[in-house]
Amino acid sequence: MWIRSALVKMIEGLGSGFKVVGEASSGEEAWYMIQELWPSILVTDIMMPTMNGLDLAKHIHAYKLPIVTVVISGYDEFEYARQAIRYDVSDYLLKPVSEEQVQQALLNSKERLYSLQDEQAYMFKVREFLDQLFLGDGVQLLKMVTVLISSILRMKGARPGVRLGFLRIIAGRLNELIASLDERFSAPPMPENTEDKVIIRYFEMLVIAWLERRPLYAGGEASHTIKQVYAYLEKNYMNHLTLSAAADHVHLSPSYFSTLFKQYTGETFVNYLNGIRIAKAKILLVDFDIKIYEVAELVGFASLPYFNRVFKQVTQMTPKEFRNRLMS
């Protein structure tokens, strides 16, 4: 947490137009967040629980996502570097990293992003479609998936495997959503190396299967699930919480949980949790006998710098400025 917080502060202090859109404490959580936030650049440590940084880079490489990866490691080992090269990692930085090294890595990433602009445009189209799965009209969703799959199949100048990567992401999310509502559902494998109309028909079939089952959540079950999460967060906000733990609490897969949570709250899980923590922190800050670093610990932040940064993001002032305003 300390290293991550310092790195975020370093990146945002460079003044080169970079903005940190999310943080994760494990590779698995990062992979789910990537499919929710669709960042342009990933900066990852190698040593992380549940899925390490190289496995995360491997996932991005396997799906050919137009995301530039920068790896940070405490190990100067050839095997790690060799794997990083295999997964098309942009930079491999050794700890402790300096501000100059981070800046150069981001500038290198920026240059590489120029060649991925067209692919990124399609990535955002995929995101737009997935965001509409809970809310979109049935006829509209069928039109959207037809247009989207057709345009992906007709992509020009894309790297080998990019089209297939996008199709796998969409098929995987649809299959997971359907299976979460109907355990008996088993979709046939996605057709490859065949006529476009066959592939389009496959995705239309998945959307229809989803629309047939989507009403199961309209009866209040989803609302009940989210209310369970609200109660869980209110009771445990001061502890180390992850998206995976919250998903497990309501017996959902992390990927499906993150989609459902965002659709019902309009926020990512991390942002919502931080909102609760900051609200609780404001109450504690009224008591001037409690030190600011103690407030940070009491509401679940592992470091004071991270607490300060999130507090300012939410309230547009630091905890100290908030306290000073109370005194004036």
Side-chain angles (χ1 to χ4, degrees):
M1 176 68 78
W2 283 94
I3 295 174
R4 193 167 76 239
S5 182
L7 185 62
V8 169
K9 187 176 180 181
M10 188 185 297
I11 291 171
E12 294 189 334
L14 291 174
S16 302
F18 297 103
K19 178 183 178 182
V20 177
V21 295
E23 301 174 35
S25 58
S26 73
E28 182 182 42
E29 189 173 6
W31 177 240
Y32 299 132
M33 289 179 69
I34 284 169
Q35 296 176 71
E36 183 178 294
L37 300 171
W38 302 102
S40 300
I41 301 171
L42 167 73
V43 181
T44 178
D45 201 332
I46 284 186
M47 303 307 294
M48 294 189 295
T50 65
M51 181 194 295
N52 68 37
L54 288 177
D55 286 336
L56 184 58
K58 182 180 179 180
H59 270 60
I60 291 172
H61 179 70
Y63 282 88
K64 293 295 186 290
L65 295 180
I67 296 173
V68 179
T69 304
V70 176
V71 166
I72 296 175
S73 174
Y75 301 88
D76 186 11
E77 292 190 14
F78 175 73
E79 179 57 27
Y80 283 145
R82 189 172 67 85
Q83 289 185 54
I85 292 171
R86 185 188 308 157
Y87 303 143
D88 203 26
V89 166
S90 176
D91 276 280
Y92 185 96
L93 307 180
L94 292 176
K95 298 177 186 175
V97 294
S98 67
E99 186 172 306
E100 291 74 19
Q101 288 176 309
V102 172
Q103 185 172 36
Q104 187 57 54
L106 291 178
L107 291 175
N108 293 343
S109 300
K110 207 170 184 178
E111 289 183 12
R112 184 177 287 197
L113 284 174
Y114 288 132
S115 65
L116 300 175
Q117 284 180 338
D118 291 341
E119 293 176 18
Q120 283 202 316
Y122 280 90
M123 185 169 73
F124 293 127
K125 289 180 182 179
V126 170
R127 175 184 178 178
E128 181 183 7
F129 169 72
L130 294 177
D131 283 346
Q132 290 295 315
L133 287 176
F134 280 88
L135 305 174
D137 170 80
V139 175
Q140 179 190 16
L141 278 176
L142 275 170
K143 287 181 179 178
M144 284 183 69
V145 77
T146 301
V147 172
L148 176 61
I149 302 304
S150 297
S151 65
I152 289 173
L153 292 171
R154 293 196 306 267
M155 284 177 67
K156 295 180 179 179
R159 293 168 297 151
V162 168
R163 296 177 187 83
L164 180 58
F166 281 142
L167 296 178
R168 287 173 61 197
I169 286 282
I170 299 167
R173 181 61 64 91
L174 280 167
N175 276 300
E176 186 172 24
L177 288 174
I178 297 166
S180 70
L181 299 179
D182 183 358
E183 294 180 354
R184 298 168 301 174
F185 178 78
S186 179
M190 186 181 73
E192 299 179 24
N193 302 318
T194 185
E195 295 179 353
D196 288 0
K197 63 181 181 181
V198 175
I199 298 174
I200 293 170
R201 196 175 300 127
Y202 171 81
F203 282 92
E204 290 174 340
M205 177 273 294
L206 287 181
V207 170
I208 291 171
W210 162 245
L211 290 171
E212 288 173 344
R213 292 160 179 81
R214 190 174 67 172
L216 294 173
Y217 262 104
E221 187 175 342
S223 177
H224 175 69
T225 298
I226 297 301
K227 286 178 180 177
Q228 283 184 292
V229 178
Y230 290 162
Y232 174 73
L233 296 182
E234 281 288 340
K235 185 178 180 180
N236 296 282
Y237 67 87
M238 72 293 295
N239 301 320
H240 175 65
L241 294 180
T242 64
L243 182 148
S244 298
D248 187 60
H249 179 73
V250 289
H251 312 294
L252 296 176
S253 72
S255 179
Y256 179 55
F257 170 77
S258 66
T259 301
L260 183 67
F261 191 86
K262 186 176 181 183
Q263 290 294 340
Y264 271 78
T265 66
E267 296 184 83
T268 65
F269 171 79
V270 173
N271 285 346
Y272 186 87
L273 174 58
N274 283 339
I276 292 177
R277 287 171 167 168
I278 296 305
K280 303 294 183 183
K282 286 181 177 179
I283 297 171
L284 294 174
L285 286 167
V286 174
D287 186 346
F288 290 87
D289 290 331
I290 305 178
K291 301 287 191 295
I292 290 178
Y293 76 86
E294 292 174 328
V295 172
E297 293 173 357
L298 288 170
V299 298
F301 287 97
S303 76
L304 180 58
Y306 184 45
F307 171 61
N308 285 335
R309 183 164 53 79
V310 174
F311 194 96
K312 188 166 186 178
Q313 285 176 347
V314 174
T315 67
Q316 284 72 58
M317 66 183 85
T318 66
K320 185 176 181 180
E321 289 169 344
F322 178 81
R323 254 194 179 161
N324 289 341
R325 182 170 294 188
L326 292 176
M327 296 173 64
S328 60

